[in-house]
Amino acid sequence: MSNMTIQWFPGHMSKALRQVEEKLKYVDIVLELRDARIPYSSSNPKISKIIKKKPRLILLTKADLAESNFTKEWISYYKENGITALSIDAISNYQINKIVPTAKLILKDLFEKEKAKGLKARPIKAMIIGIPNVGKSTLINTLVKKKVAQTGDRPGVTKSLQWINIKDEMMLLDTPGVLWPKFEDQKVGLKLAVTGAIKDNILPLDDVVIFALEYLRKHYPYRLRDRYQLEEISDNNIELMETIGRKRGALLPGNKVNFDKVFDIILYEIRNLLLGRLTFEVPNDI
Ligand SMILES: Nc1nc2c(ncn2[C@@H]2O[C@H](COP(=O)(O)OP(=O)(O)O)[C@@H](O)[C@H]2O)c(=O)[nH]1
Ligand SMILES: [Mg+2]
């Protein structure tokens, strides 16, 4: 592996966590987004400490890109740990309408207590958090499209915060909490890069592509073979990339393989379902 030093700003991470922590007191529940293809690597390891006992719903985003049986495994894994998780796809609207009812179920006790005290029924107050590119804005837009209204000028709602009303049942803080992934662990960084969570110039692209090919060779060999029409899958990464490059005509003058082009082809195809739905980590890995 080549040098994997990452431009890393711990200050950003603590500031982001602090901002989430400050807003926590205004909401009933946190909707924590994680990428269904890498639910562990796309989370922030410090978030559980910050959230403490605040109710939480984990939303596994981009479920359309992940293998559904593994997504189910993750959901069971969270359940075993006392956390409710729901897989969603904010582009095709898959399970979007389950978010509010699931949040209601999680908050059942709280609302029953309020009712017993004679308080009026009220919308759930929620905030969305997650690492960059996990789908926060897309989800907010999808939820908003389902119903109108921007801010909440309701009694008992802090004026300085902006809320988005989702039907009459939920109010969402209009700015999501941005978490930073923790990619000091090489594998975590590589998974974030393969799925496009971090920009392609952050890690050396050859490392990212080699990681992806090794993962595919081990877990999805038949897909590699079919996609690139390989008779056999070479154990040698350079040789494998060369074969793919030649098959695709990614060549430089002198009939040499254009590796930069090969990197782009492979990453594009992985990220855009051309090798099928892919999951890059399962609960057993962690
Ligand atoms: N396939 C798929 N792509 C998604 C989904 N949600 C978001 N995206 C894409 O992921 C990228 C980042 O989404 P965005 O909402 O901007 O992420 P944010 O940085 O967390 O706000 C965009 O290209 C979205 O189109 C999803 O459920 N499925
Ligand atoms: Mg955004």
Side-chain angles (χ1 to χ4, degrees):
M1 282 235 168
S2 47
N3 178 21
M4 286 245 305
T5 337
I6 295 164
Q7 285 298 325
W8 176 241
F9 308 103
H12 278 180
M13 179 160 128
S14 11
K15 189 172 174 219
L17 285 171
R18 223 168 30 243
Q19 283 170 343
V20 168
E21 203 171 12
E22 278 162 15
K23 287 185 179 162
L24 221 47
K25 57 176 173 286
Y26 301 112
V27 301
D28 304 306
I29 190 167
V30 171
L31 309 180
E32 186 194 353
L33 275 51
R34 300 185 178 194
D35 188 315
R37 295 167 295 173
I38 48 168
Y40 170 74
S41 297
S42 61
S43 70
N44 181 300
K46 291 217 171 119
I47 195 61
S48 294
K49 260 199 191 135
I50 300 255
I51 293 182
K52 294 193 194 99
K53 291 212 158 69
K54 182 70 69 179
R56 152 165 63 166
L57 170 58
I58 289 183
L59 297 175
L60 296 176
T61 62
K62 311 191 188 184
D64 54 314
L65 304 179
E67 267 210 81
S68 55
N69 52 330
F70 291 133
T71 303
K72 279 185 200 135
E73 272 187 33
W74 278 105
I75 290 170
S76 311
Y77 164 80
Y78 290 126
K79 194 172 177 187
E80 282 160 23
N81 287 281
I83 301 171
T84 307
L86 187 66
S87 61
I88 60 163
D89 163 10
I91 291 177
S92 78
N93 271 352
Y94 170 70
Q95 303 220 114
I96 295 298
N97 57 10
K98 285 199 180 162
I99 295 175
V100 173
T102 308
K104 264 190 190 163
L105 216 57
I106 295 171
L107 296 170
K108 203 165 161 259
D109 287 352
L110 171 77
F111 281 93
E112 272 173 6
K113 258 185 221 157
E114 288 192 6
K115 198 177 170 190
K117 282 188 200 159
L119 295 172
K120 261 182 40 185
R122 62 175 182 86
I124 294 169
K125 285 179 277 182
M127 106 185 255
I128 284 178
I129 65 172
I131 65 167
N133 286 318
V134 74
K136 298 181 294 301
S137 303
T138 308
L139 175 60
I140 293 173
N141 289 336
T142 303
L143 287 169
V144 170
K145 251 181 265 150
K146 299 211 122 185
K147 210 331 204 176
V148 279
Q150 275 288 338
T151 68
D153 203 12
R154 292 167 188 268
V157 171
T158 318
K159 283 267 168 62
S160 60
L161 297 171
Q162 295 290 307
W163 298 87
I164 301 166
N165 296 340
I166 312 298
K167 298 186 183 160
D168 284 327
E169 302 172 301
M170 193 190 284
M171 303 167 64
L172 213 54
L173 271 182
D174 81 334
T175 27
V178 177
L179 303 175
W180 292 85
K182 186 170 172 158
F183 44 101
E184 284 155 15
D185 173 346
Q186 286 196 352
K187 275 255 165 72
V188 170
L190 291 167
K191 288 174 191 173
L192 289 164
V194 169
T195 54
I198 57 174
K199 288 203 186 81
D200 281 346
N201 57 12
I202 293 185
L203 295 182
L205 223 47
D206 51 345
D207 287 343
V208 177
V209 173
I210 286 172
F211 168 78
L213 285 178
E214 286 179 348
Y215 193 87
L216 293 172
R217 190 193 279 118
K218 187 168 171 200
H219 299 277
Y220 299 96
Y222 46 98
R223 301 219 203 146
L224 255 185
R225 216 178 291 134
D226 287 358
R227 180 70 201 164
Y228 300 109
Q229 299 179 348
L230 307 168
E231 267 147 44
E232 57 168 341
I233 302 169
S234 172
D235 286 336
N236 180 307
N237 293 318
I238 306 292
E239 222 173 79
L240 178 56
M241 289 192 283
E242 236 175 29
T243 307
I244 294 173
R246 290 198 185 279
K247 295 248 178 198
R248 289 302 179 82
L251 299 174
L252 292 167
N255 207 28
K256 284 196 173 128
V257 168
N258 182 345
F259 280 96
D260 289 328
K261 189 90 184 280
V262 175
F263 299 159
D264 287 345
I265 291 172
I266 293 173
L267 286 179
Y268 177 85
E269 300 196 347
I270 285 175
R271 292 169 184 165
N272 290 281
L273 288 175
L274 291 159
L275 285 112
R277 294 161 68 148
L278 299 169
T279 295
F280 289 95
E281 63 194 10
V282 295
N284 262 342
D285 296 341
I286 60 171

